[in-house]
PDB file of all heavy atoms in Angstrom:
ATOM      1  N   ALA A 484       3.861 -23.437  -3.192  1.00 94.00           N
ATOM      2  CA  ALA A 484       2.513 -23.978  -3.366  1.00 94.00           C
ATOM      3  C   ALA A 484       1.585 -22.889  -3.895  1.00 94.00           C
ATOM      4  O   ALA A 484       1.785 -21.697  -3.635  1.00 94.00           O
ATOM      5  CB  ALA A 484       1.992 -24.518  -2.034  1.00 94.00           C
ATOM      6  N   GLU A 485       0.574 -23.301  -4.622  1.00 94.00           N
ATOM      7  CA  GLU A 485      -0.367 -22.339  -5.194  1.00 94.00           C
ATOM      8  C   GLU A 485      -1.023 -21.493  -4.105  1.00 94.00           C
ATOM      9  O   GLU A 485      -1.180 -20.280  -4.256  1.00 94.00           O
ATOM     10  CB  GLU A 485      -1.439 -23.078  -5.994  1.00 94.00           C
ATOM     11  CG  GLU A 485      -2.477 -22.148  -6.600  1.00 94.00           C
ATOM     12  CD  GLU A 485      -3.583 -22.874  -7.336  1.00 94.00           C
ATOM     13  OE1 GLU A 485      -3.441 -24.090  -7.591  1.00 94.00           O
ATOM     14  OE2 GLU A 485      -4.592 -22.231  -7.657  1.00 94.00           O
ATOM     15  N   ASN A 486      -1.395 -22.117  -2.998  1.00 95.00           N
ATOM     16  CA  ASN A 486      -2.042 -21.391  -1.910  1.00 95.00           C
ATOM     17  C   ASN A 486      -1.105 -20.342  -1.305  1.00 95.00           C
ATOM     18  O   ASN A 486      -1.527 -19.231  -0.985  1.00 95.00           O
ATOM     19  CB  ASN A 486      -2.519 -22.371  -0.833  1.00 95.00           C
ATOM     20  CG  ASN A 486      -3.501 -21.728   0.119  1.00 95.00           C
ATOM     21  OD1 ASN A 486      -4.353 -20.955  -0.300  1.00 95.00           O
ATOM     22  ND2 ASN A 486      -3.369 -22.042   1.389  1.00 95.00           N
ATOM     23  N   ALA A 487       0.173 -20.678  -1.161  1.00 94.00           N
ATOM     24  CA  ALA A 487       1.145 -19.728  -0.613  1.00 94.00           C
ATOM     25  C   ALA A 487       1.288 -18.513  -1.521  1.00 94.00           C
ATOM     26  O   ALA A 487       1.343 -17.372  -1.048  1.00 94.00           O
ATOM     27  CB  ALA A 487       2.493 -20.410  -0.410  1.00 94.00           C
ATOM     28  N   VAL A 488       1.331 -18.735  -2.824  1.00 91.00           N
ATOM     29  CA  VAL A 488       1.452 -17.633  -3.786  1.00 91.00           C
ATOM     30  C   VAL A 488       0.198 -16.765  -3.740  1.00 91.00           C
ATOM     31  O   VAL A 488       0.277 -15.534  -3.710  1.00 91.00           O
ATOM     32  CB  VAL A 488       1.704 -18.175  -5.207  1.00 91.00           C
ATOM     33  CG1 VAL A 488       1.627 -17.066  -6.243  1.00 91.00           C
ATOM     34  CG2 VAL A 488       3.051 -18.876  -5.267  1.00 91.00           C
ATOM     35  N   ARG A 489      -0.969 -17.407  -3.691  1.00 92.00           N
ATOM     36  CA  ARG A 489      -2.225 -16.649  -3.630  1.00 92.00           C
ATOM     37  C   ARG A 489      -2.294 -15.791  -2.369  1.00 92.00           C
ATOM     38  O   ARG A 489      -2.696 -14.629  -2.416  1.00 92.00           O
ATOM     39  CB  ARG A 489      -3.422 -17.595  -3.662  1.00 92.00           C
ATOM     40  CG  ARG A 489      -3.699 -18.192  -5.014  1.00 92.00           C
ATOM     41  CD  ARG A 489      -4.886 -19.151  -4.927  1.00 92.00           C
ATOM     42  NE  ARG A 489      -5.132 -19.798  -6.173  1.00 92.00           N
ATOM     43  CZ  ARG A 489      -6.029 -19.372  -7.063  1.00 92.00           C
ATOM     44  NH1 ARG A 489      -6.743 -18.307  -6.814  1.00 92.00           N
ATOM     45  NH2 ARG A 489      -6.194 -20.022  -8.194  1.00 92.00           N
ATOM     46  N   ILE A 490      -1.890 -16.366  -1.222  1.00 94.00           N
ATOM     47  CA  ILE A 490      -1.937 -15.622   0.035  1.00 94.00           C
ATOM     48  C   ILE A 490      -0.967 -14.444  -0.014  1.00 94.00           C
ATOM     49  O   ILE A 490      -1.304 -13.334   0.405  1.00 94.00           O
ATOM     50  CB  ILE A 490      -1.630 -16.551   1.226  1.00 94.00           C
ATOM     51  CG1 ILE A 490      -2.815 -17.491   1.457  1.00 94.00           C
ATOM     52  CG2 ILE A 490      -1.323 -15.760   2.484  1.00 94.00           C
ATOM     53  CD1 ILE A 490      -2.554 -18.575   2.476  1.00 94.00           C
ATOM     54  N   GLN A 491       0.239 -14.654  -0.540  1.00 92.00           N
ATOM     55  CA  GLN A 491       1.220 -13.573  -0.595  1.00 92.00           C
ATOM     56  C   GLN A 491       0.729 -12.436  -1.496  1.00 92.00           C
ATOM     57  O   GLN A 491       0.862 -11.258  -1.159  1.00 92.00           O
ATOM     58  CB  GLN A 491       2.572 -14.089  -1.075  1.00 92.00           C
ATOM     59  CG  GLN A 491       3.666 -13.045  -0.978  1.00 92.00           C
ATOM     60  CD  GLN A 491       5.034 -13.603  -1.294  1.00 92.00           C
ATOM     61  OE1 GLN A 491       5.211 -14.811  -1.447  1.00 92.00           O
ATOM     62  NE2 GLN A 491       5.998 -12.729  -1.392  1.00 92.00           N
ATOM     63  N   ILE A 492       0.132 -12.776  -2.629  1.00 90.00           N
ATOM     64  CA  ILE A 492      -0.405 -11.740  -3.523  1.00 90.00           C
ATOM     65  C   ILE A 492      -1.580 -11.027  -2.857  1.00 90.00           C
ATOM     66  O   ILE A 492      -1.695  -9.802  -2.915  1.00 90.00           O
ATOM     67  CB  ILE A 492      -0.800 -12.342  -4.888  1.00 90.00           C
ATOM     68  CG1 ILE A 492       0.451 -12.765  -5.662  1.00 90.00           C
ATOM     69  CG2 ILE A 492      -1.610 -11.347  -5.708  1.00 90.00           C
ATOM     70  CD1 ILE A 492       0.166 -13.493  -6.950  1.00 90.00           C
ATOM     71  N   ALA A 493      -2.455 -11.780  -2.177  1.00 93.00           N
ATOM     72  CA  ALA A 493      -3.610 -11.178  -1.515  1.00 93.00           C
ATOM     73  C   ALA A 493      -3.173 -10.215  -0.413  1.00 93.00           C
ATOM     74  O   ALA A 493      -3.710  -9.111  -0.296  1.00 93.00           O
ATOM     75  CB  ALA A 493      -4.519 -12.264  -0.944  1.00 93.00           C
ATOM     76  N   VAL A 494      -2.196 -10.615   0.385  1.00 92.00           N
ATOM     77  CA  VAL A 494      -1.709  -9.741   1.463  1.00 92.00           C
ATOM     78  C   VAL A 494      -1.082  -8.478   0.873  1.00 92.00           C
ATOM     79  O   VAL A 494      -1.310  -7.365   1.366  1.00 92.00           O
ATOM     80  CB  VAL A 494      -0.719 -10.501   2.370  1.00 92.00           C
ATOM     81  CG1 VAL A 494       0.018  -9.564   3.301  1.00 92.00           C
ATOM     82  CG2 VAL A 494      -1.451 -11.575   3.158  1.00 92.00           C
ATOM     83  N   ALA A 495      -0.295  -8.627  -0.173  1.00 90.00           N
ATOM     84  CA  ALA A 495       0.324  -7.458  -0.802  1.00 90.00           C
ATOM     85  C   ALA A 495      -0.736  -6.535  -1.402  1.00 90.00           C
ATOM     86  O   ALA A 495      -0.625  -5.313  -1.300  1.00 90.00           O
ATOM     87  CB  ALA A 495       1.315  -7.908  -1.871  1.00 90.00           C
ATOM     88  N   LEU A 496      -1.782  -7.108  -2.009  1.00 91.00           N
ATOM     89  CA  LEU A 496      -2.864  -6.288  -2.558  1.00 91.00           C
ATOM     90  C   LEU A 496      -3.614  -5.546  -1.459  1.00 91.00           C
ATOM     91  O   LEU A 496      -3.952  -4.367  -1.606  1.00 91.00           O
ATOM     92  CB  LEU A 496      -3.842  -7.152  -3.353  1.00 91.00           C
ATOM     93  CG  LEU A 496      -3.425  -7.522  -4.761  1.00 91.00           C
ATOM     94  CD1 LEU A 496      -4.372  -8.555  -5.353  1.00 91.00           C
ATOM     95  CD2 LEU A 496      -3.377  -6.293  -5.643  1.00 91.00           C
ATOM     96  N   ILE A 497      -3.865  -6.223  -0.330  1.00 93.00           N
ATOM     97  CA  ILE A 497      -4.551  -5.581   0.786  1.00 93.00           C
ATOM     98  C   ILE A 497      -3.720  -4.412   1.306  1.00 93.00           C
ATOM     99  O   ILE A 497      -4.238  -3.310   1.533  1.00 93.00           O
ATOM    100  CB  ILE A 497      -4.854  -6.600   1.903  1.00 93.00           C
ATOM    101  CG1 ILE A 497      -5.945  -7.566   1.439  1.00 93.00           C
ATOM    102  CG2 ILE A 497      -5.268  -5.895   3.192  1.00 93.00           C
ATOM    103  CD1 ILE A 497      -6.125  -8.772   2.339  1.00 93.00           C
ATOM    104  N   ALA A 498      -2.425  -4.643   1.486  1.00 89.00           N
ATOM    105  CA  ALA A 498      -1.549  -3.568   1.966  1.00 89.00           C
ATOM    106  C   ALA A 498      -1.535  -2.407   0.969  1.00 89.00           C
ATOM    107  O   ALA A 498      -1.600  -1.232   1.362  1.00 89.00           O
ATOM    108  CB  ALA A 498      -0.138  -4.101   2.193  1.00 89.00           C
ATOM    109  N   PHE A 499      -1.460  -2.720  -0.313  1.00 88.00           N
ATOM    110  CA  PHE A 499      -1.456  -1.687  -1.363  1.00 88.00           C
ATOM    111  C   PHE A 499      -2.746  -0.874  -1.319  1.00 88.00           C
ATOM    112  O   PHE A 499      -2.718   0.362  -1.363  1.00 88.00           O
ATOM    113  CB  PHE A 499      -1.279  -2.352  -2.730  1.00 88.00           C
ATOM    114  CG  PHE A 499      -1.424  -1.414  -3.886  1.00 88.00           C
ATOM    115  CD1 PHE A 499      -0.407  -0.542  -4.230  1.00 88.00           C
ATOM    116  CD2 PHE A 499      -2.584  -1.402  -4.649  1.00 88.00           C
ATOM    117  CE1 PHE A 499      -0.547   0.329  -5.301  1.00 88.00           C
ATOM    118  CE2 PHE A 499      -2.728  -0.536  -5.713  1.00 88.00           C
ATOM    119  CZ  PHE A 499      -1.703   0.330  -6.040  1.00 88.00           C
ATOM    120  N   LEU A 500      -3.885  -1.558  -1.222  1.00 90.00           N
ATOM    121  CA  LEU A 500      -5.168  -0.857  -1.215  1.00 90.00           C
ATOM    122  C   LEU A 500      -5.355  -0.025   0.049  1.00 90.00           C
ATOM    123  O   LEU A 500      -5.891   1.083  -0.002  1.00 90.00           O
ATOM    124  CB  LEU A 500      -6.321  -1.860  -1.376  1.00 90.00           C
ATOM    125  CG  LEU A 500      -6.393  -2.523  -2.754  1.00 90.00           C
ATOM    126  CD1 LEU A 500      -7.453  -3.614  -2.763  1.00 90.00           C
ATOM    127  CD2 LEU A 500      -6.657  -1.500  -3.832  1.00 90.00           C
ATOM    128  N   LEU A 501      -4.895  -0.535   1.190  1.00 90.00           N
ATOM    129  CA  LEU A 501      -4.966   0.254   2.420  1.00 90.00           C
ATOM    130  C   LEU A 501      -4.112   1.515   2.318  1.00 90.00           C
ATOM    131  O   LEU A 501      -4.536   2.593   2.766  1.00 90.00           O
ATOM    132  CB  LEU A 501      -4.533  -0.590   3.622  1.00 90.00           C
ATOM    133  CG  LEU A 501      -5.537  -1.627   4.097  1.00 90.00           C
ATOM    134  CD1 LEU A 501      -4.915  -2.503   5.183  1.00 90.00           C
ATOM    135  CD2 LEU A 501      -6.811  -0.971   4.592  1.00 90.00           C
ATOM    136  N   LEU A 502      -2.931   1.386   1.735  1.00 88.00           N
ATOM    137  CA  LEU A 502      -2.090   2.575   1.541  1.00 88.00           C
ATOM    138  C   LEU A 502      -2.767   3.580   0.619  1.00 88.00           C
ATOM    139  O   LEU A 502      -2.733   4.784   0.860  1.00 88.00           O
ATOM    140  CB  LEU A 502      -0.735   2.177   0.965  1.00 88.00           C
ATOM    141  CG  LEU A 502       0.339   1.813   1.967  1.00 88.00           C
ATOM    142  CD1 LEU A 502       1.577   1.290   1.264  1.00 88.00           C
ATOM    143  CD2 LEU A 502       0.687   2.996   2.834  1.00 88.00           C
ATOM    144  N   ARG A 503      -3.374   3.093  -0.460  1.00 88.00           N
ATOM    145  CA  ARG A 503      -4.051   3.997  -1.389  1.00 88.00           C
ATOM    146  C   ARG A 503      -5.238   4.693  -0.729  1.00 88.00           C
ATOM    147  O   ARG A 503      -5.467   5.886  -0.934  1.00 88.00           O
ATOM    148  CB  ARG A 503      -4.524   3.243  -2.639  1.00 88.00           C
ATOM    149  CG  ARG A 503      -3.414   2.920  -3.609  1.00 88.00           C
ATOM    150  CD  ARG A 503      -2.803   4.239  -4.083  1.00 88.00           C
ATOM    151  NE  ARG A 503      -1.741   3.994  -5.012  1.00 88.00           N
ATOM    152  CZ  ARG A 503      -1.779   4.367  -6.283  1.00 88.00           C
ATOM    153  NH1 ARG A 503      -2.804   4.993  -6.778  1.00 88.00           N
ATOM    154  NH2 ARG A 503      -0.755   4.117  -7.065  1.00 88.00           N
ATOM    155  N   LEU A 504      -6.001   3.937   0.077  1.00 89.00           N
ATOM    156  CA  LEU A 504      -7.126   4.546   0.784  1.00 89.00           C
ATOM    157  C   LEU A 504      -6.645   5.583   1.795  1.00 89.00           C
ATOM    158  O   LEU A 504      -7.235   6.655   1.924  1.00 89.00           O
ATOM    159  CB  LEU A 504      -7.952   3.461   1.491  1.00 89.00           C
ATOM    160  CG  LEU A 504      -8.815   2.596   0.584  1.00 89.00           C
ATOM    161  CD1 LEU A 504      -9.406   1.439   1.364  1.00 89.00           C
ATOM    162  CD2 LEU A 504      -9.915   3.428  -0.050  1.00 89.00           C
ATOM    163  N   ALA A 505      -5.582   5.258   2.511  1.00 85.00           N
ATOM    164  CA  ALA A 505      -5.033   6.208   3.476  1.00 85.00           C
ATOM    165  C   ALA A 505      -4.516   7.452   2.771  1.00 85.00           C
ATOM    166  O   ALA A 505      -4.692   8.574   3.262  1.00 85.00           O
ATOM    167  CB  ALA A 505      -3.921   5.550   4.294  1.00 85.00           C
ATOM    168  N   GLN A 506      -3.886   7.262   1.626  1.00 86.00           N
ATOM    169  CA  GLN A 506      -3.373   8.416   0.890  1.00 86.00           C
ATOM    170  C   GLN A 506      -4.515   9.300   0.403  1.00 86.00           C
ATOM    171  O   GLN A 506      -4.403  10.517   0.393  1.00 86.00           O
ATOM    172  CB  GLN A 506      -2.524   7.967  -0.293  1.00 86.00           C
ATOM    173  CG  GLN A 506      -1.922   9.147  -1.009  1.00 86.00           C
ATOM    174  CD  GLN A 506      -1.454   8.849  -2.404  1.00 86.00           C
ATOM    175  OE1 GLN A 506      -1.665   7.762  -2.912  1.00 86.00           O
ATOM    176  NE2 GLN A 506      -0.831   9.817  -3.026  1.00 86.00           N
ATOM    177  N   ALA A 507      -5.625   8.691   0.031  1.00 87.00           N
ATOM    178  CA  ALA A 507      -6.762   9.463  -0.477  1.00 87.00           C
ATOM    179  C   ALA A 507      -7.410  10.325   0.608  1.00 87.00           C
ATOM    180  O   ALA A 507      -8.095  11.293   0.290  1.00 87.00           O
ATOM    181  CB  ALA A 507      -7.795   8.521  -1.075  1.00 87.00           C
ATOM    182  N   THR A 508      -7.178   9.994   1.887  1.00 84.00           N
ATOM    183  CA  THR A 508      -7.797  10.754   2.969  1.00 84.00           C
ATOM    184  C   THR A 508      -7.003  11.990   3.364  1.00 84.00           C
ATOM    185  O   THR A 508      -7.462  12.758   4.196  1.00 84.00           O
ATOM    186  CB  THR A 508      -7.969   9.877   4.232  1.00 84.00           C
ATOM    187  OG1 THR A 508      -6.676   9.505   4.711  1.00 84.00           O
ATOM    188  CG2 THR A 508      -8.807   8.663   3.941  1.00 84.00           C
ATOM    189  N   GLN A 509      -5.834  12.177   2.782  1.00 82.00           N
ATOM    190  CA  GLN A 509      -4.997  13.313   3.171  1.00 82.00           C
ATOM    191  C   GLN A 509      -4.641  14.139   1.946  1.00 82.00           C
ATOM    192  O   GLN A 509      -4.803  13.703   0.828  1.00 82.00           O
ATOM    193  CB  GLN A 509      -3.738  12.822   3.907  1.00 82.00           C
ATOM    194  CG  GLN A 509      -2.906  11.801   3.149  1.00 82.00           C
ATOM    195  CD  GLN A 509      -1.941  12.426   2.161  1.00 82.00           C
ATOM    196  OE1 GLN A 509      -1.335  13.448   2.457  1.00 82.00           O
ATOM    197  NE2 GLN A 509      -1.796  11.835   1.003  1.00 82.00           N
ATOM    198  N   ASN A 510      -4.162  15.353   2.185  1.00 82.00           N
ATOM    199  CA  ASN A 510      -3.813  16.263   1.090  1.00 82.00           C
ATOM    200  C   ASN A 510      -2.356  16.696   1.117  1.00 82.00           C
ATOM    201  O   ASN A 510      -1.928  17.440   0.251  1.00 82.00           O
ATOM    202  CB  ASN A 510      -4.693  17.518   1.138  1.00 82.00           C
ATOM    203  CG  ASN A 510      -6.136  17.199   0.873  1.00 82.00           C
ATOM    204  OD1 ASN A 510      -6.439  16.348   0.054  1.00 82.00           O
ATOM    205  ND2 ASN A 510      -7.030  17.869   1.578  1.00 82.00           N
ATOM    206  N   ALA A 511      -1.585  16.237   2.084  1.00 81.00           N
ATOM    207  CA  ALA A 511      -0.209  16.722   2.249  1.00 81.00           C
ATOM    208  C   ALA A 511       0.752  16.103   1.243  1.00 81.00           C
ATOM    209  O   ALA A 511       1.650  16.779   0.743  1.00 81.00           O
ATOM    210  CB  ALA A 511       0.274  16.450   3.673  1.00 81.00           C
ATOM    211  N   VAL A 512       0.602  14.824   0.943  1.00 82.00           N
ATOM    212  CA  VAL A 512       1.527  14.125   0.048  1.00 82.00           C
ATOM    213  C   VAL A 512       0.736  13.615  -1.152  1.00 82.00           C
ATOM    214  O   VAL A 512      -0.204  12.833  -0.998  1.00 82.00           O
ATOM    215  CB  VAL A 512       2.212  12.943   0.778  1.00 82.00           C
ATOM    216  CG1 VAL A 512       3.191  12.247  -0.141  1.00 82.00           C
ATOM    217  CG2 VAL A 512       2.897  13.409   2.045  1.00 82.00           C
ATOM    218  N   HIS A 513       1.140  14.012  -2.347  1.00 83.00           N
ATOM    219  CA  HIS A 513       0.393  13.643  -3.542  1.00 83.00           C
ATOM    220  C   HIS A 513       0.942  12.388  -4.219  1.00 83.00           C
ATOM    221  O   HIS A 513       0.209  11.679  -4.884  1.00 83.00           O
ATOM    222  CB  HIS A 513       0.355  14.810  -4.532  1.00 83.00           C
ATOM    223  CG  HIS A 513      -0.347  15.999  -3.979  1.00 83.00           C
ATOM    224  ND1 HIS A 513      -1.695  16.030  -3.753  1.00 83.00           N
ATOM    225  CD2 HIS A 513       0.125  17.193  -3.553  1.00 83.00           C
ATOM    226  CE1 HIS A 513      -2.039  17.191  -3.240  1.00 83.00           C
ATOM    227  NE2 HIS A 513      -0.948  17.926  -3.104  1.00 83.00           N
ATOM    228  N   SER A 514       2.207  12.103  -4.038  1.00 84.00           N
ATOM    229  CA  SER A 514       2.816  10.950  -4.694  1.00 84.00           C
ATOM    230  C   SER A 514       2.562   9.675  -3.890  1.00 84.00           C
ATOM    231  O   SER A 514       2.866   9.624  -2.692  1.00 84.00           O
ATOM    232  CB  SER A 514       4.327  11.166  -4.828  1.00 84.00           C
ATOM    233  OG  SER A 514       4.970   9.962  -5.158  1.00 84.00           O
ATOM    234  N   PRO A 515       2.039   8.628  -4.513  1.00 82.00           N
ATOM    235  CA  PRO A 515       1.816   7.369  -3.793  1.00 82.00           C
ATOM    236  C   PRO A 515       3.117   6.773  -3.255  1.00 82.00           C
ATOM    237  O   PRO A 515       3.141   6.215  -2.155  1.00 82.00           O
ATOM    238  CB  PRO A 515       1.198   6.444  -4.846  1.00 82.00           C
ATOM    239  CG  PRO A 515       0.664   7.334  -5.892  1.00 82.00           C
ATOM    240  CD  PRO A 515       1.518   8.562  -5.882  1.00 82.00           C
ATOM    241  N   LEU A 516       4.208   6.895  -4.013  1.00 80.00           N
ATOM    242  CA  LEU A 516       5.482   6.337  -3.573  1.00 80.00           C
ATOM    243  C   LEU A 516       6.015   7.082  -2.350  1.00 80.00           C
ATOM    244  O   LEU A 516       6.454   6.459  -1.378  1.00 80.00           O
ATOM    245  CB  LEU A 516       6.502   6.382  -4.710  1.00 80.00           C
ATOM    246  CG  LEU A 516       7.863   5.775  -4.416  1.00 80.00           C
ATOM    247  CD1 LEU A 516       7.723   4.303  -4.060  1.00 80.00           C
ATOM    248  CD2 LEU A 516       8.771   5.946  -5.612  1.00 80.00           C
ATOM    249  N   VAL A 517       5.954   8.408  -2.376  1.00 84.00           N
ATOM    250  CA  VAL A 517       6.414   9.202  -1.228  1.00 84.00           C
ATOM    251  C   VAL A 517       5.541   8.910  -0.012  1.00 84.00           C
ATOM    252  O   VAL A 517       6.033   8.783   1.108  1.00 84.00           O
ATOM    253  CB  VAL A 517       6.403  10.707  -1.583  1.00 84.00           C
ATOM    254  CG1 VAL A 517       6.677  11.565  -0.360  1.00 84.00           C
ATOM    255  CG2 VAL A 517       7.416  10.987  -2.677  1.00 84.00           C
ATOM    256  N   PHE A 518       4.243   8.774  -0.226  1.00 85.00           N
ATOM    257  CA  PHE A 518       3.350   8.472   0.883  1.00 85.00           C
ATOM    258  C   PHE A 518       3.660   7.100   1.484  1.00 85.00           C
ATOM    259  O   PHE A 518       3.701   6.948   2.705  1.00 85.00           O
ATOM    260  CB  PHE A 518       1.890   8.532   0.433  1.00 85.00           C
ATOM    261  CG  PHE A 518       0.919   8.311   1.553  1.00 85.00           C
ATOM    262  CD1 PHE A 518       0.656   9.323   2.457  1.00 85.00           C
ATOM    263  CD2 PHE A 518       0.293   7.094   1.729  1.00 85.00           C
ATOM    264  CE1 PHE A 518      -0.228   9.136   3.505  1.00 85.00           C
ATOM    265  CE2 PHE A 518      -0.585   6.890   2.773  1.00 85.00           C
ATOM    266  CZ  PHE A 518      -0.852   7.914   3.657  1.00 85.00           C
ATOM    267  N   ALA A 519       3.899   6.099   0.642  1.00 84.00           N
ATOM    268  CA  ALA A 519       4.233   4.760   1.139  1.00 84.00           C
ATOM    269  C   ALA A 519       5.528   4.789   1.939  1.00 84.00           C
ATOM    270  O   ALA A 519       5.633   4.138   2.996  1.00 84.00           O
ATOM    271  CB  ALA A 519       4.344   3.779  -0.026  1.00 84.00           C
ATOM    272  N   ARG A 520       6.513   5.536   1.472  1.00 84.00           N
ATOM    273  CA  ARG A 520       7.774   5.657   2.216  1.00 84.00           C
ATOM    274  C   ARG A 520       7.558   6.355   3.555  1.00 84.00           C
ATOM    275  O   ARG A 520       8.142   5.980   4.566  1.00 84.00           O
ATOM    276  CB  ARG A 520       8.804   6.421   1.393  1.00 84.00           C
ATOM    277  CG  ARG A 520       9.343   5.630   0.236  1.00 84.00           C
ATOM    278  CD  ARG A 520      10.331   6.425  -0.560  1.00 84.00           C
ATOM    279  NE  ARG A 520      10.812   5.660  -1.686  1.00 84.00           N
ATOM    280  CZ  ARG A 520      11.313   6.189  -2.779  1.00 84.00           C
ATOM    281  NH1 ARG A 520      11.419   7.500  -2.892  1.00 84.00           N
ATOM    282  NH2 ARG A 520      11.725   5.420  -3.766  1.00 84.00           N
ATOM    283  N   LEU A 521       6.723   7.367   3.555  1.00 85.00           N
ATOM    284  CA  LEU A 521       6.432   8.097   4.784  1.00 85.00           C
ATOM    285  C   LEU A 521       5.744   7.193   5.806  1.00 85.00           C
ATOM    286  O   LEU A 521       6.094   7.201   6.991  1.00 85.00           O
ATOM    287  CB  LEU A 521       5.556   9.300   4.451  1.00 85.00           C
ATOM    288  CG  LEU A 521       5.338  10.341   5.524  1.00 85.00           C
ATOM    289  CD1 LEU A 521       6.669  10.975   5.905  1.00 85.00           C
ATOM    290  CD2 LEU A 521       4.381  11.395   5.014  1.00 85.00           C
ATOM    291  N   VAL A 522       4.798   6.398   5.352  1.00 83.00           N
ATOM    292  CA  VAL A 522       4.113   5.466   6.255  1.00 83.00           C
ATOM    293  C   VAL A 522       5.086   4.413   6.762  1.00 83.00           C
ATOM    294  O   VAL A 522       5.092   4.066   7.945  1.00 83.00           O
ATOM    295  CB  VAL A 522       2.899   4.821   5.553  1.00 83.00           C
ATOM    296  CG1 VAL A 522       2.345   3.664   6.362  1.00 83.00           C
ATOM    297  CG2 VAL A 522       1.818   5.865   5.305  1.00 83.00           C
ATOM    298  N   ARG A 523       5.930   3.899   5.880  1.00 83.00           N
ATOM    299  CA  ARG A 523       6.890   2.870   6.286  1.00 83.00           C
ATOM    300  C   ARG A 523       7.845   3.386   7.366  1.00 83.00           C
ATOM    301  O   ARG A 523       8.125   2.690   8.328  1.00 83.00           O
ATOM    302  CB  ARG A 523       7.694   2.384   5.076  1.00 83.00           C
ATOM    303  CG  ARG A 523       8.614   1.226   5.418  1.00 83.00           C
ATOM    304  CD  ARG A 523       9.466   0.749   4.258  1.00 83.00           C
ATOM    305  NE  ARG A 523       8.816   0.832   2.978  1.00 83.00           N
ATOM    306  CZ  ARG A 523       9.394   1.280   1.870  1.00 83.00           C
ATOM    307  NH1 ARG A 523      10.636   1.696   1.887  1.00 83.00           N
ATOM    308  NH2 ARG A 523       8.740   1.313   0.736  1.00 83.00           N
ATOM    309  N   THR A 524       8.318   4.610   7.220  1.00 84.00           N
ATOM    310  CA  THR A 524       9.266   5.142   8.206  1.00 84.00           C
ATOM    311  C   THR A 524       8.583   5.530   9.513  1.00 84.00           C
ATOM    312  O   THR A 524       9.231   5.579  10.547  1.00 84.00           O
ATOM    313  CB  THR A 524      10.026   6.359   7.657  1.00 84.00           C
ATOM    314  OG1 THR A 524       9.084   7.341   7.247  1.00 84.00           O
ATOM    315  CG2 THR A 524      10.915   5.968   6.501  1.00 84.00           C
ATOM    316  N   ASN A 525       7.287   5.797   9.474  1.00 81.00           N
ATOM    317  CA  ASN A 525       6.562   6.215  10.676  1.00 81.00           C
ATOM    318  C   ASN A 525       5.559   5.168  11.148  1.00 81.00           C
ATOM    319  O   ASN A 525       4.637   5.497  11.902  1.00 81.00           O
ATOM    320  CB  ASN A 525       5.817   7.529  10.409  1.00 81.00           C
ATOM    321  CG  ASN A 525       6.756   8.674  10.199  1.00 81.00           C
ATOM    322  OD1 ASN A 525       7.391   9.132  11.133  1.00 81.00           O
ATOM    323  ND2 ASN A 525       6.875   9.131   8.964  1.00 81.00           N
TER     324      ASN A 525
END
């Protein structure tokens, strides 16, 4: 359904933006992909 697709994209965008904001607050990991993996494992 259109609503299901919109919700899934919105949730993924929110998660992406939260990860980017969290990455911007730190200086230890510069790569967005490495940072996302680090957050996922921890």
